[in-house]
């Protein structure tokens, strides 16, 4: 049953008169409180101003259903008394209060608005219906509550930024004004961040001292270690059974842990507290870092200090944190990109459309000596069949490439990628990066010299082509009496990511180019359906 239009207009007029009367009385009360606060002088002026702001906010909490405005502002602030304990000095006695049923209806309506803003229309419609079943004019009540919340927010902003009162505690990061320091343009927020970073470095140096085992951990882990008791020991699960592992000295356990891989080391550390402390010994992680971070994982500096030493100093000689946070290529497995695309098919029935989902894989296997194998296969060759074949002796597969790699920051550079699927390269040795560079130099040195191109030895121990262009794949080999002649090489740039931290298990293709060695021109390869590479550990790779 619908109300006549005149009734709706009268309800809106009565509602506007109530709001106007409430707003006038509220402004008069706030003005009176400001006049009272200005009469206070002496040392208690700042304290009285802050109490005035807090009592005003407390009195606003007496209003029901003014918890959240449309802008997301919350009136219940930390350190401010709740609505159950109103301020004795100021009450809004004439505020139009809501009944329990109306307040519940407004809450349901507010939740429906949030669902509608998130695009959850079905849930929003159900909540709207439930709200209107409880209260027929719930939309008008909701608008009133939102208007009151906006007025309260404006008043708190004015109180916080008033020069006559002491500055209260920050109420909300969205409404806290920024103070710009004169002369340099920095804000207080920027200055506090710089100071925080400086203090963080000092705390990392002083608050995490080495223990008897030479432990050095991050601040988060250090706080956990400080809660451990002084006396740690291996305890059996069954009290009646002896534990022979506790007879070993800590030095022997550390020597055993140096043989384990990082995953096994962290699994041992989760046994108990003493295992956690022993696994943090700096000699264990220093050995692991020294074996992992060497060229081409890190740059090879021609003169001066070792790059690994500079890196260790940057991480304050916390080798475990260095191993987790600094980018590295995983060599104990293969990076695989599973790509899909849809191809239209043929059908005898004109009313039926046939489509085919095509799946193909890209593989990248990295070797410690700087060699990389790139392989592109179709769905007829599953990963279980291809992964055991990714060795330097692999030949005869279409889409097979051999090249060199090095890591610069979190960018992986694949250079000198040669298409090894040609029959003329069947007997070529690709066991080392130097063999790839020698093949390029022997087959293209005359043409390279004539066209002004050249090859130079990079700091990573292999020869790189000076093309001045991007990275990618290409085709084209020809044979003559002196041996195979390579006309194209391919280069690729990838971005190394870690999901989650410490895994370094994802690669995104940044660029992929084909370089003509005769002209030196680089052409980008079109990649329409490519997907990121994800790391897959292979047990047999770790043994090699």
């Amino acid at each position: 049953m619908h109300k006549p239009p005149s009734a709706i207009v009268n309800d809106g007029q009565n509602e506007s008169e109530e709001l106007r009367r409430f707003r006038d009385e509220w402004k008069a009360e706030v003005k009176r409180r400001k006049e009272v606060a200005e009469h206070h002088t002496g040392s208690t002026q700042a304290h009285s101003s802050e109490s005035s702001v807090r009592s005003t906010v407390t009195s606003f909490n007496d209003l029901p259903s003014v918890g959240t405005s449309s802008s997301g502002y919350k009136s219940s602030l930390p350190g401010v008394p709740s609505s159950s304990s109103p301020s004795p000095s100021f009450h809004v006695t004439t505020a139009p209060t809501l009944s329990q049923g109306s307040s519940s209806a407004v809450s349901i309506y507010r939740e429906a608005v949030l669902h509608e803003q998130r695009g959850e229309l079905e849930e929003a419609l159900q909540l709207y219906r439930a709200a209107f079943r409880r209260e027929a004019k719930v939309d008008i009540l909701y608008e009133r509550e939102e208007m009151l919340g906006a007025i309260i927010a404006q008043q708190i902003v004015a109180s916080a930024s008033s020069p006559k009162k002491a500055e209260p505690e920050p109420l909300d990061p969205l409404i806290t004004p920024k103070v710009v320091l004169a002369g340099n343009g920095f804000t207080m927020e920027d200055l506090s961040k710089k100071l925080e970073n400086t203090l963080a470095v000092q705390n990392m140096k002083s608050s995490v001292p080495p223990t008897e085992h030479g432990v050095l951990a991050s601040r988060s882990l250090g706080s956990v270690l400080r809660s451990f008791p002084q006396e740690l020991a291996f305890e059996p699960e069954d009290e009646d059974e002896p534990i022979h592992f506790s007879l070993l000295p800590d030095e022997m356990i550390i020597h055993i842990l140096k043989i384990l891989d990082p995953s096994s080391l962290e699994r041992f550390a989760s046994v108990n507290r003493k295992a956690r402390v022993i696994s943090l010994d700096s000699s264990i992680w220093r050995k692991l870092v020294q074996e992992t971070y060497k060229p081409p994982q890190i740059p090879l500096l021609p003169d001066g200090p070792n790059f690994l030493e500079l890196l260790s100093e940057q991480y304050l000689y916390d080798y475990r944190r260095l191993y987790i946070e600094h980018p590295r290529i995983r060599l104990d497995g293969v990076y695989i990109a599973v790509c899909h695309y849809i191809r239209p098919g043929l059908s005898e029935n004109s009313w039926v459309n046939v489509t085919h989902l095509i799946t193909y894989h890209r593989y990248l296997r990295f070797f410690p000596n700087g060699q990389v194998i790139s392989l592109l296969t179709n769905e007829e060759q599953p990963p279980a069949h291809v992964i055991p074949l990714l060795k330097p002796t692999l030949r005869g597969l279409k889409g097979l490439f051999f090249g060199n790699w090095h890591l610069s920051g979190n960018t992986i550079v694949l250079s000198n990628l040669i298409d090894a699927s040609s029959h003329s390269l069947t007997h070529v040795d690709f066991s080392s990066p130097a063999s790839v560079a020698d093949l390029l130099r022997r087959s293209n040195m005359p043409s390279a010299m004539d066209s002004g191109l050249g090859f130079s030895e990079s700091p990573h121990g292999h020869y790189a082509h000076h093309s001045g262009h991007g990275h990618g794949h290409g085709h084209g080999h020809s044979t003559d009496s002196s041996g195979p002649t390579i006309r194209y090489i391919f280069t690729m740039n990838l971005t190394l990511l870690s999901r989650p931290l410490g895994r370094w298990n994802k690669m995104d293709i940044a660029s992929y180019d084909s370089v003509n060695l005769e002209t030196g021109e680089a052409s980008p390869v079109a990649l329409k359906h490519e997907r990121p590479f994800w790391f897959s550990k292979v047990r047999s790779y770790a043994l090699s």
Side-chain angles (χ1 to χ4, degrees):
M1 180 176 179
H2 299 282
K3 293 183 179 181
S6 59
I8 299 177
V9 173
N10 293 333
D11 291 342
Q13 293 177 354
N14 295 334
E15 190 70 26
S16 300
E17 292 176 358
E18 292 179 358
L19 288 177
R20 190 179 302 106
R21 184 175 63 257
F22 164 70
R23 188 182 300 107
D24 294 339
E25 294 178 357
W26 173 70
K27 289 182 178 180
E29 183 65 22
V30 172
K31 183 177 179 180
R32 184 186 63 81
R33 292 186 58 82
K34 288 183 177 181
E35 294 177 354
V36 173
E38 291 177 356
H39 287 82
H40 294 278
T41 56
S43 59
T44 61
Q45 182 177 1
H47 176 73
S48 62
S49 300
E50 183 175 359
S51 301
S52 175
V53 174
R54 289 185 176 272
S55 61
T56 305
V57 176
T58 305
S59 62
F60 291 147
N61 287 335
D62 298 338
L63 296 176
S65 303
V66 194
T68 307
S69 66
S70 58
S71 61
Y73 172 76
K74 296 182 179 180
S75 61
S76 56
L77 302 173
V80 180
S82 61
S83 59
S84 59
S85 58
S87 172
S89 59
F90 175 59
H91 298 276
V92 184
T93 57
T94 59
T97 59
L98 298 177
S99 62
Q100 184 177 1
S102 300
S103 178
S104 177
V106 170
S107 300
I108 297 175
Y109 192 92
R110 181 177 292 108
E111 186 177 356
V113 171
L114 295 178
H115 280 283
E116 184 180 3
Q117 291 176 352
R118 292 195 295 263
E120 302 170 355
L121 301 182
E122 185 175 355
E123 293 82 355
L125 181 59
Q126 295 177 358
L127 293 174
Y128 279 134
R129 290 174 178 174
F132 277 101
R133 280 196 296 266
R134 290 174 177 262
E135 178 63 47
K137 297 188 296 183
V138 64
D139 53 342
I140 300 177
L141 298 178
Y142 171 77
E143 293 179 358
R144 186 196 70 171
E145 299 300 319
E146 294 301 308
M147 185 183 300
L148 292 177
I151 295 174
I152 293 173
Q154 293 177 1
Q155 176 61 23
I156 295 178
V157 172
S159 301
S161 59
S162 177
K164 297 181 180 180
K165 299 182 179 181
E167 183 179 359
E169 297 178 1
L171 299 177
D172 193 281
L174 297 177
I175 61 175
T176 303
K178 290 187 176 181
V179 180
V180 180
L181 302 180
N184 51 16
F186 290 103
T187 63
M188 290 294 294
E189 183 180 1
D190 299 334
L191 187 61
S192 63
K193 286 182 178 180
K194 291 185 178 181
L195 182 60
E196 182 181 359
N197 294 334
T198 305
L199 295 178
V201 175
Q202 298 299 329
N203 292 336
M204 188 179 298
K205 292 180 179 179
S206 58
S207 64
V208 191
T211 66
E212 57 180 355
H213 302 292
V215 173
L216 189 63
S218 61
R219 288 187 298 166
S220 58
L221 187 57
S223 60
V224 176
L225 295 178
R226 284 193 293 271
S227 64
F228 287 0
Q230 296 294 331
E231 297 295 334
L232 299 176
F234 293 102
E235 298 179 358
E237 184 177 1
D238 187 358
E239 296 180 356
D240 297 333
E241 295 291 335
I243 178 168
H244 302 288
F245 193 77
S246 61
L247 301 178
L248 293 176
D250 296 343
E251 291 78 8
M252 181 64 68
I253 299 176
I254 292 175
H255 182 73
I256 297 174
L257 295 181
K258 290 181 180 179
I259 308 175
L260 302 179
D261 60 281
S263 300
S264 302
L265 180 61
E266 288 299 315
R267 282 195 294 267
F268 169 78
S270 62
V271 172
N272 62 1
R273 294 176 177 178
K274 185 172 182 179
R276 174 78 276 177
V277 172
I278 294 179
S279 66
L280 293 176
D281 188 90
S282 59
S283 62
I284 300 175
W285 294 97
R286 181 172 63 249
K287 177 178 179 295
L288 188 61
V289 166
Q290 291 175 352
E291 293 177 350
T292 303
Y293 290 95
K294 52 187 177 182
Q297 294 276 15
I298 57 175
L300 180 61
L301 301 181
D303 297 323
N306 187 8
F307 186 82
L308 182 57
E309 182 66 23
L310 299 177
L311 198 61
S312 303
E313 184 178 356
Q314 178 183 351
Y315 285 91
L316 302 177
Y317 296 95
D318 188 347
Y319 294 101
R320 181 176 180 273
R321 177 168 166 258
L322 189 156
Y323 186 83
I324 294 175
E325 298 182 5
H326 196 74
R328 70 182 187 280
I329 296 293
R330 300 283 298 273
L331 306 177
D332 55 343
V334 60
Y335 290 87
I336 306 176
V338 183
C339 308
H340 306 277
Y341 69 93
I342 297 176
R343 179 175 60 84
L346 300 178
S347 176
E348 298 179 356
N349 191 345
S350 60
W351 296 93
V352 178
N353 293 328
V354 179
T355 57
H356 301 280
L357 177 63
I358 309 299
T359 303
Y360 63 96
H361 298 81
R362 288 188 180 273
Y363 302 88
L364 285 177
R365 184 184 177 184
F366 298 86
F367 294 88
N369 60 356
Q371 184 185 17
V372 62
I373 297 178
S374 174
L375 180 62
L376 174 63
T377 62
N378 54 23
E379 57 185 359
E380 297 179 357
Q381 298 172 321
H385 175 70
V386 173
I387 290 176
L389 303 178
L390 292 177
K391 300 178 181 179
T393 57
L394 180 61
R395 297 290 187 279
L397 288 181
K398 186 178 180 180
L400 177 64
F401 295 84
F402 288 90
N404 306 327
W405 71 273
H406 70 272
L407 181 63
S408 177
N410 65 335
T411 302
I412 308 167
V413 180
L414 306 185
S415 58
N416 299 342
L417 287 170
I418 300 175
D419 188 357
S421 60
S422 175
H423 295 286
S424 61
L425 300 177
T426 304
H427 304 287
V428 176
D429 181 18
F430 290 104
S431 59
S432 64
S435 61
V436 177
D438 292 339
L439 178 62
L440 292 174
R441 184 172 51 185
R442 290 196 308 268
S443 60
N444 293 280
M445 185 60 70
S447 60
M449 294 179 63
D450 295 339
S451 59
L453 302 176
F455 297 89
S456 62
E457 188 174 3
S458 69
H460 304 281
H462 61 268
Y463 289 87
H465 176 254
H466 291 176
S467 60
H469 298 277
H471 299 75
H473 285 275
H475 299 276
H477 297 282
S478 62
T479 58
D480 53 19
S481 59
S482 60
T485 301
I486 300 175
R487 297 177 55 190
Y488 295 93
I489 62 172
F490 319 103
T491 56
M492 183 188 301
N493 280 353
L494 304 106
T495 303
L496 182 61
L497 303 172
S498 184
R499 300 291 185 272
L501 180 64
R503 296 290 182 86
W504 302 111
N505 53 354
K506 183 181 178 182
M507 292 181 181
D508 290 332
I509 299 179
S511 62
Y512 192 21
D513 300 330
S514 172
V515 180
N516 189 336
L517 296 181
E518 295 181 356
T519 62
E521 296 180 357
S523 302
V525 178
L527 300 175
K528 296 182 180 179
H529 312 287
E530 300 307 311
R531 293 294 183 268
F533 289 87
W534 288 94
F535 179 78
S536 179
K537 187 174 181 179
V538 182
R539 294 183 179 180
S540 60
Y541 289 179
L543 297 177
S544 60

